[in-house]
Amino acid sequence: MKIRGTLIGFTAILMWSLLALMTAASGKVPPFQMNAMTFAIGSLPGLILFAFRPQRIRLLKQPAKVWIIGIGGLFGYHFLYFTALRNAPAVEAGLIAYLWPLLIVVGSALLPGERLRWYHVAGALAGLCGTIAIVSRNGLSFDGAYTLGYGTAFICAFTWAGYSLLTRSFDRVSTDVVTGFCLATSLLSLVCHLALEITIWPADTSQWAAVVGLGLLPVGAAFYAWDYGVKNGDIQVIGAASYAAPLLSTLILVLSGFAEPDWRILAACVLITGGAVLAARDMLRPRKPVRLPVE
């Protein structure tokens, strides 16, 4: 069950690696409008399931804390992330926000039944170094004038890490509730869009296809897979492996012609892959057979 949960968690990381490509192909739709549209699309599979199996709707009846943590995780993360990008350079803000995999690995020590080993932390740090290698291709410049943006990005990292770790403690809560989280996030994003942005619709069929793809995969199925993965898989391995998302995203952009190849990508590949393998040491190492005492 743990290996299966971990592998399902990995699929969320793979889907998130498509985020940059699909976003680039979706035109100039403002971020909160995009959130409202894609999270609405992301909730459709769950709504269709409820239509065919109405008895599952009762699974949405959960304690208030589950809803607060779920909506706070999905909407709170995106609200803080977009706020950070509005108040700081995208590269620096994005790098700070992407501290969440490391925070998940370290924070897992607080979870019952989990033991944090040195190789979990080392694997996550290697992944962080690989991410730095990717995003720093044009240099990094942290400027005090963007303190608000940096601070918001930092809170953003803690928000997603906290959501993921707390979700683990709700392992008996069905993943069906993610449908409700997506709907609530869509509605709250719509409110932010109407208050803060000018509506811009996709310009053609290909851009609409990109928006639908975002809603079905990185902003849809990925959150269901992540929920199942952190509840049932090895959260330390999943956390360390999450640094593969920016690497895979960059490789996809290069192959698609949206970015230029760079030697830093190779360095990042070695660091992130090596870090993930190191963090997964317990899963990859064959277990020694237990010898029973001879009577």
Side-chain angles (χ1 to χ4, degrees):
M1 176 64 77
K2 198 166 189 177
I3 294 177
R4 178 188 176 191
T6 303
L7 292 175
I8 290 176
F10 286 169
T11 65
I13 298 168
L14 293 175
M15 284 185 276
W16 284 332
S17 69
L18 298 171
L19 189 62
L21 175 63
M22 289 184 172
T23 301
S26 64
K28 298 181 179 180
V29 179
F32 282 115
Q33 180 188 345
M34 179 71 77
N35 245 24
M37 296 166 65
T38 54
F39 272 103
I41 295 170
S43 68
L44 290 179
L47 294 176
I48 293 172
L49 178 62
F50 292 154
F52 283 96
R53 297 183 179 179
Q55 69 274 16
R56 297 189 70 87
I57 296 177
R58 62 182 177 81
L59 297 173
L60 296 178
K61 188 178 180 180
Q62 300 294 338
K65 61 182 179 181
V66 172
W67 286 97
I68 291 171
I69 291 170
I71 298 171
L74 267 64
F75 174 74
Y77 171 82
H78 289 87
F79 178 83
L80 291 166
Y81 184 72
F82 294 147
T83 301
L85 294 183
R86 288 174 181 270
N87 292 277
V91 171
E92 287 80 0
L95 180 59
I96 294 172
Y98 226 80
L99 288 171
W100 63 259
L102 178 60
L103 294 174
I104 287 176
V105 173
V106 175
S108 67
L110 302 174
L111 296 174
E114 297 292 345
R115 298 182 64 184
L116 184 63
R117 304 285 192 177
W118 68 267
Y119 44 83
H120 295 137
V121 178
L125 286 172
L128 177 61
C129 291
T131 302
I132 293 173
I134 292 175
V135 303
S136 64
R137 282 179 290 172
N138 297 318
L140 292 172
S141 178
F142 291 95
D143 190 330
Y146 302 116
T147 301
L148 174 61
Y150 298 152
T152 308
F154 196 63
I155 298 172
C156 173
F158 273 92
T159 298
W160 189 253
Y163 162 73
S164 301
L165 292 169
L166 289 170
T167 294
R168 174 71 168 218
S169 64
F170 298 141
D171 57 330
R172 294 186 179 181
V173 176
S174 172
T175 296
D176 289 83
V177 298
V178 175
T179 299
F181 299 161
C182 287
L183 278 174
T185 299
S186 176
L187 290 173
L188 291 171
S189 298
L190 177 61
V191 171
C192 290
H193 165 64
L194 295 175
L196 302 171
E197 298 173 336
I198 298 174
T199 302
I200 301 176
W201 296 107
D204 52 36
T205 303
S206 63
Q207 291 185 6
W208 274 109
V211 171
V212 172
L214 280 167
L216 292 177
L217 294 174
V219 189
F223 289 108
Y224 295 90
W226 183 257
D227 182 88
Y228 186 90
V230 296
K231 286 176 179 175
N232 300 283
D234 190 320
I235 194 169
Q236 294 159 335
V237 175
I238 294 173
S242 296
Y243 281 116
L247 170 62
L248 294 173
S249 179
T250 302
L251 290 173
I252 291 171
L253 289 173
V254 169
L255 293 174
S256 304
F258 284 92
E260 295 294 328
D262 191 283
W263 66 268
R264 291 180 180 84
I265 297 176
L266 177 60
C269 185
V270 173
L271 286 167
I272 293 172
T273 303
V277 171
L278 183 60
R281 175 178 168 181
D282 288 338
M283 292 183 64
L284 299 175
R285 185 173 52 187
R287 295 183 179 180
K288 295 180 180 180
V290 177
R291 293 184 179 182
L292 299 175
V294 180
E295 297 183 357

